[in-house]
Amino acid sequence: MRFVLFFLIFTFPLMAQSDTFFEDAGSLGTMAGVAKACNENVQKLDDYELIAVRLIANKANSVEQEKEGYRRYVREKLRAERKQKNNPQMSCNEVLYRFENMPLFKSVVYRDGSLKLSDGTFLKAKRPPLKVDKK
């Protein structure tokens, strides 16, 4: 598990370069769950979730696929949070440090729902964003 967390946190391929949509939605959820388990008040978690939601929405081929991507994200987030709380594989200090320094946070979310990833890839919003606002 320690290797899996290390792999997810440091070498997570952004969904723009991904092979499978649902696996990526699950990976995004896993990362959010591990970070949330370590600190209920992770300041960057809101930003992370905004970016994750827009990644899922902009990569989905249909509204149904988008909704299923959200479901997968939430399922994996809850599963990872439970697992980290019950049987931690990394210290929370290490997890939070890695989480807060992810390249994903260099992404930009635009008002129309478009997303510019940290690697410069621009994902145009396919449909109006759902009611997900950055707080």
Side-chain angles (χ1 to χ4, degrees):
M1 178 67 182
R2 187 177 186 114
F3 176 74
V4 173
L5 281 174
F6 180 79
F7 179 76
L8 284 173
I9 292 173
F10 280 108
T11 62
F12 174 73
L14 292 175
M15 292 177 71
Q17 304 165 353
S18 158
D19 294 337
T20 58
F21 174 78
F22 295 115
E23 285 179 14
D24 288 338
S27 295
L28 287 166
T30 298
M31 293 166 51
V34 170
K36 186 174 182 200
C38 286
N39 186 354
E40 294 287 328
N41 299 315
V42 175
Q43 295 171 347
K44 286 197 169 189
L45 191 57
D46 288 340
D47 293 340
Y48 175 85
E49 290 194 333
L50 177 65
I51 294 168
V53 163
R54 292 316 313 162
L55 273 170
I56 292 169
N58 293 345
K59 294 302 291 178
N61 293 324
S62 66
V63 173
E64 292 78 26
Q65 188 180 35
E66 181 179 347
K67 288 178 183 178
E68 184 57 36
Y70 294 146
R71 284 188 207 102
R72 178 77 181 260
Y73 173 86
V74 170
R75 257 193 323 266
E76 293 302 321
K77 178 180 173 183
L78 292 173
R79 196 173 292 156
E81 182 179 3
R82 231 175 304 140
K83 195 169 193 173
Q84 178 68 16
K85 283 182 178 178
N86 295 332
N87 186 19
Q89 301 295 315
M90 288 180 151
S91 74
C92 281
N93 288 338
E94 189 176 353
V95 168
L96 292 174
Y97 175 79
R98 291 179 181 186
F99 179 77
E100 291 176 355
N101 291 298
M102 288 176 48
L104 184 71
F105 290 113
K106 294 179 183 169
S107 300
V108 178
V109 179
Y110 295 98
R111 188 173 291 195
D112 69 349
S114 298
L115 185 65
K116 183 178 179 184
L117 302 176
S118 59
D119 67 357
T121 305
F122 185 80
L123 299 175
K124 185 168 173 52
K126 292 183 178 180
R127 55 193 142 285
L130 300 176
K131 304 238 175 180
V132 179
D133 293 320
K134 188 174 176 180
K135 295 181 180 182

